[in-house]
Amino acid sequence: MRKSIDGLAALVQEDYGLNPFSPSLFVFCNRERNKLKLLFWEVNGFWLFYRRLKF
């Protein structure tokens, strides 16, 4: 969960072979699965959503 927008976009492109600028929502979670990061491209930039879950 240390990666920022650029790191997550590079991960999507290099490791998964996907286009981070496509109209898709990319979801990342930590090992405990209690934190989420969502990466989304809009017309003029990325949105990065961060959510900490409580169970």
Side-chain angles (χ1 to χ4, degrees):
M1 296 311 292
R2 296 182 185 188
K3 293 193 183 299
S4 64
I5 292 173
D6 295 331
L8 293 173
L11 183 70
V12 167
Q13 190 169 18
E14 294 172 8
D15 289 0
Y16 300 117
L18 300 171
N19 183 6
F21 302 104
S22 66
S24 301
L25 181 67
F26 300 99
V27 180
F28 304 90
C29 66
N30 63 344
R31 289 182 191 205
E32 294 84 22
R33 295 194 175 124
N34 61 358
K35 296 176 186 169
L36 297 174
K37 280 190 179 180
L38 288 76
L39 184 67
F40 178 72
W41 172 258
E42 202 169 43
V43 177
N44 58 352
F46 281 106
W47 282 97
L48 181 64
F49 300 96
Y50 178 77
R51 182 75 176 195
R52 186 173 63 191
L53 306 172
K54 290 189 177 186
F55 294 101

